[in-house]
DNA sequence: CGGTATCCCTCCCGATACTG
DNA sequence: CAGTATCGGGAGGGATACCG
């Protein structure tokens, strides 16, 4: 039932592009990670992920709810209370996200090293007769 | 040697943030995927991934080379020829990328469904007394 | 408390033109 | 062929103020 083999990420309309841009979003992954083990309220989320502006968090949340990855439950109380939790679908996203996290844990050092080396080269060589 | 357990993605300086933003980049993943099985020249890459402007591809490639994920080899010929290939480090990135691809292959349908349902709700209910 | 409305500003992206 | 230079538009991110 998977149509995995006919996926072509080079097509602009490819679904993987959609997911990729989602993951690349500044706050999406943080929200999902924050909800990994707990149900959180709006301001709790804000505190946990360090989101500066409520607008941004609100946007992120709405997009996640729209895509069925997070569910929103509001209580008719005073003061109002709203809880966000991962849906089953949202929980499945934890796997690929963690694959990325694991890669970062293992290889970021290499990337940083490579970057330093490249920057040194630029500073000395390509800087062009700067001494 | 891995320091995986002390990784906190909620820290702004966390390495996983760096990798995430990399993956979210518009062209980075496409370039890596394009170089998966072959060595390609600049214009071949452009054709394959459908990058419209050379500037953008150039930027992407420079960043990838800087981070040690792609290597660049130029030949002193006329006309000039430049080949790009994945480094060993870059090849390791294929794993997490593929995890995301696989997720997309399996679950994008669900996301699209959820999105449609949510949009219908908005159109009928939240549109607000539109009839 | 849980958002929305508004404004600003930066960064990314893209097209075009030009150079080695 | 393989880029760089320049310019411009648009989306996204962020701070602040305000509303239910």
């Amino acid at each position: 039932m998977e149509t995995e083999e006919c996926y072509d990420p080079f097509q602009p309309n490819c679904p993987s592009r959609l997911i990729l841009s989602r993951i690349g979003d500044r706050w999406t992954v943080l929200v999902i990670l924050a909800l990994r083990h707990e149900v959180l309220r709006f301001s709790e989320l804000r505190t946990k992920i360090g989101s500066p502006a409520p607008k941004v968090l609100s946007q992120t949340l709405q997009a996640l709810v729209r895509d069925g990855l997070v569910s929103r439950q509001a209580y008719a109380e005073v003061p109002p209370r709203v809880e966000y939790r991962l849906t089953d679908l949202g929980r499945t996203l934890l796997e690929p996200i963690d694959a990325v996290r694991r890669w970062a844990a293992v290889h970021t050092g290499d990337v940083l090293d490579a970057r330093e080396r490249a920057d040194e080269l630029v500073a000395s060589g390509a800087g062009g007769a700067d001494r």
Side-chain angles (χ1 to χ4, degrees), chain A:
Chain A
M1 40 202 68
E2 294 87 15
T3 52
E4 187 170 345
E5 61 274 350
C6 56
Y7 262 52
D8 182 6
F10 302 118
Q11 299 303 323
N13 56 337
C14 173
S16 59
R17 298 288 296 267
L18 185 150
I19 306 302
L20 245 10
S21 59
R22 204 68 144 95
I23 300 231
D25 179 87
R26 178 83 197 262
W27 299 108
T28 298
V29 172
L30 280 305
V31 168
I32 291 177
L33 252 19
L35 295 176
R36 178 165 205 168
H37 301 299
E38 1 174 42
V39 173
L40 291 175
R41 306 172 57 169
F42 189 86
S43 40
E44 290 172 334
L45 267 171
R46 247 193 111 198
T47 305
K48 182 151 189 173
I49 71 177
S51 168
K55 191 194 76 174
V56 178
L57 180 58
S58 179
Q59 280 175 174
T60 305
L61 252 12
Q62 284 176 10
L64 285 169
V65 169
R66 186 168 99 106
D67 286 355
L69 300 169
V70 165
S71 74
R72 191 194 112 117
Q73 181 170 15
Y75 298 90
E77 298 176 1
V78 177
R81 182 162 56 104
V82 179
E83 291 179 346
Y84 292 93
R85 76 193 70 217
L86 244 36
T87 63
D88 289 340
L89 181 58
R91 221 175 310 280
T92 64
L93 233 195
L94 287 169
E95 274 186 45
I97 287 179
D98 243 44
V100 175
R101 270 225 313 184
R102 259 179 277 117
W103 191 93
V106 176
H107 295 290
T108 299
D110 299 333
V111 171
L112 259 23
D113 288 349
R115 196 175 282 193
E116 268 183 53
R117 256 179 280 117
D119 291 349
E120 280 173 21
L121 272 187
V122 172
S124 64
D130 65 309
R131 174 183 163 9

